Amino acid sequence: TAPARDRPLPAVGPPHPQSRCTMAPMKRPAAASSAPAAKRPAAVKKDPVPAKVAQVGEAMAGAEGFPEGVVAMLVGALPCSLALLKDERHATQEEVIKMAKQVLDGVTQKKEVIVEKSRAELAEVQGMQAAKDTAVEDAKATVAAKAEAGDTAKDALQEAAGQQAAAQAALNDATSEQHHGDSSYNDAATQKVALEEALDSSFAQIKAGTCQNLKSTVESLLKFATQRGFEPQLLFSAEPALSKAASERGNFDVLVLDQFEAQLMGQIAPLAEQLSTMEGGKAERQAKVDECKTGLEGAEVTLTERKAALSAALEAEKEAKVALKAAEAEAKAHKPELKAATAEFDEAAVDLAEAKAAVEVFLELESRVPFVEPVVEPVVEEEELAAEEAAPAAAA
């Protein structure tokens, strides 16, 4: 069947003569007497029917889908139809009640549609708000995670800085040890080079007679030999022998030159042996320095990487905070819409509840019948009943 508001209202004829709301004629008051005034009767309880009829009329007012004039006529006729007891109504009044019920059902159906629509809109807005609130919580979790990552990056950077400092200290110690250990080796190597140069260059040229600056070369060679601790007697004899041309040297001169040469070679040999012995330690010290350099380079690379990682972590935390602020602002901005949708649904629900309440009142008034006072039989006590039954017997 079509909804109540879509069904056409039947035509309403002229009201039944007995349907007019009339007041019973008032009797003329009796003449005043000199008798004492009677007690004032107890207050009569107010009739609730007019208020209930008004409640139904208010629910029908403004009904959509019905002619406004017809609705107004029906509302105006309620006190003369719905307010009457069921068995006091005539056909026209019943028709008015039927049409009023049709309008009231249409109002209720319309309000039910509005409630369902408001409910759906509220659910949608609530879902959007829930999603935005969830986004806020997710953003908070992201900020916490980024902050934790930043703390981890700070700790890692501090650790890398400590490793770099330790690597630098290790390199400094290895370099110092190398410098101290290699000083003896380098001194011996310097002496050996000087002796070899004196033997293979200056002395060899003098002995072969090929020296260009014989006098200055002899002086330099003798000075070097003196510094090397040659025997004074050998130095004394070597000067004239070295200063002579090769063709002018006698056997003694040759002997002196052989001894001078032997002295040079005699000092080179122990130095060579010493250097050979010290070569292993020198290589070890160099290897340690190289290892420390490699370690320092690795520590510096790690330190640079950790600095970049910390910078990235701090930037990520900053971006997460910005995103959180934006999510909070968006969630906050949506709350007025949620509030409005909630208020709209609550208002529609109240309207529907009022309409349904009016329908219940309508049904109550529609089926109202006269109130019959229940008959209460007097309660006779057993002793009184026994006395009444015994009385005839005693009279006989």
Side-chain angles (χ1 to χ4, degrees), residues 53-54 56-62 70-80 96 100 103:
V53 171
V56 174
E58 291 177 359
M60 292 173 57
V70 173
V71 174
M73 181 199 68
L74 292 174
V75 172
L78 290 178
C80 303
V96 169
V103 172

Side-chain angles (χ1 to χ4, degrees), residues 31-383:
S33 64
S34 60
K39 292 184 179 180
R40 179 177 297 178
V44 179
K45 187 176 181 181
K46 186 177 180 180
D47 185 7
V49 172
K52 292 183 178 182
V53 171
Q55 181 180 355
V56 174
E58 291 177 359
M60 292 173 57
E64 298 179 4
F66 301 98
E68 184 178 350
V70 173
V71 174
M73 181 199 68
L74 292 174
V75 172
L78 290 178
C80 303
S81 54
L82 188 62
L84 301 178
L85 296 175
K86 185 176 182 64
D87 56 359
E88 295 178 354
R89 303 171 191 151
H90 52 69
T92 303
Q93 291 168 328
E94 290 293 343
E95 190 67 24
V96 169
I97 292 174
K98 181 179 179 181
M99 289 188 289
K101 180 62 166 58
Q102 185 177 348
V103 172
L104 195 58
D105 287 343
V107 170
T108 304
Q109 292 172 6
K110 177 65 176 179
K111 292 185 181 297
E112 287 176 344
V113 171
I114 294 175
V115 166
E116 291 306 314
K117 180 181 178 182
S118 299
R119 191 194 309 277
E121 292 175 350
L122 176 59
E124 182 179 358
V125 174
Q126 286 175 332
M128 294 174 62
Q129 186 66 49
K132 295 180 185 300
D133 292 339
T134 300
V136 170
E137 294 305 317
D138 291 344
K140 287 181 178 179
T142 301
V143 169
K146 297 301 182 182
E148 183 178 357
D151 293 338
T152 302
K154 290 178 183 177
D155 294 339
L157 176 60
Q158 186 175 2
E159 180 184 6
Q163 292 174 349
Q164 189 270 346
Q168 183 65 63
L171 177 59
N172 293 340
D173 292 342
T175 302
S176 177
E177 183 180 350
Q178 182 188 40
H179 179 73
H180 178 73
D182 288 358
S183 61
S184 300
Y185 179 90
N186 294 335
D187 182 61
T190 300
Q191 295 182 47
K192 181 173 178 293
V193 169
L195 287 167
E196 289 174 343
E197 183 179 355
L199 176 64
D200 298 334
S201 180
S202 300
F203 180 77
Q205 291 177 6
I206 294 173
K207 183 179 180 180
T210 59
C211 183
Q212 299 295 325
N213 300 312
L214 182 59
K215 183 178 180 180
S216 60
T217 302
V218 170
E219 290 177 354
S220 297
L221 182 59
L222 291 175
K223 182 179 180 180
F224 174 74
T226 300
Q227 293 174 348
R228 295 298 306 172
F230 280 27
E231 296 177 2
Q233 184 62 41
L234 177 59
L235 295 174
F236 178 78
S237 302
E239 182 179 2
L242 293 170
S243 300
K244 293 179 182 179
S247 58
E248 298 177 355
R249 296 173 192 152
N251 292 334
F252 180 75
D253 296 326
V254 173
L255 178 61
V256 169
L257 292 180
D258 290 341
Q259 290 180 353
F260 192 91
E261 184 178 10
Q263 281 282 329
L264 290 172
M265 295 178 64
Q267 290 193 11
I268 291 173
L271 289 173
E273 184 177 354
Q274 180 182 358
L275 290 173
S276 177
T277 303
M278 298 172 65
E279 193 68 37
K282 183 176 183 299
E284 290 179 2
R285 289 188 292 273
Q286 183 61 49
K288 186 175 182 179
V289 169
D290 293 341
E291 180 181 359
C292 290
K293 284 182 178 180
T294 302
L296 178 59
E297 291 173 357
E300 288 177 343
V301 170
T302 301
L303 181 61
T304 301
E305 292 175 348
R306 298 286 173 82
K307 286 181 179 179
L310 175 58
S311 178
L314 294 177
E315 183 63 25
E317 182 180 1
K318 181 179 178 181
E319 293 176 355
K321 288 181 178 179
V322 171
L324 171 59
K325 188 175 181 180
E328 289 175 337
E330 187 173 350
K332 182 178 179 181
H334 191 261
K335 287 187 181 297
E337 183 176 352
L338 174 62
K339 183 178 180 180
T342 303
E344 182 178 348
F345 171 75
D346 292 343
E347 181 180 358
V350 170
D351 290 345
L352 177 60
E354 291 176 351
K356 288 184 176 180
V359 171
E360 292 180 1
V361 171
F362 178 91
L363 295 176
E364 175 191 344
L365 294 175
E366 181 187 24
S367 59
R368 195 164 62 93
V369 296
F371 177 74
V372 179
E373 196 70 42
V375 178
V376 180
E377 296 182 358
V379 179
V380 181
E381 298 292 338
E382 292 182 359
E383 294 181 356

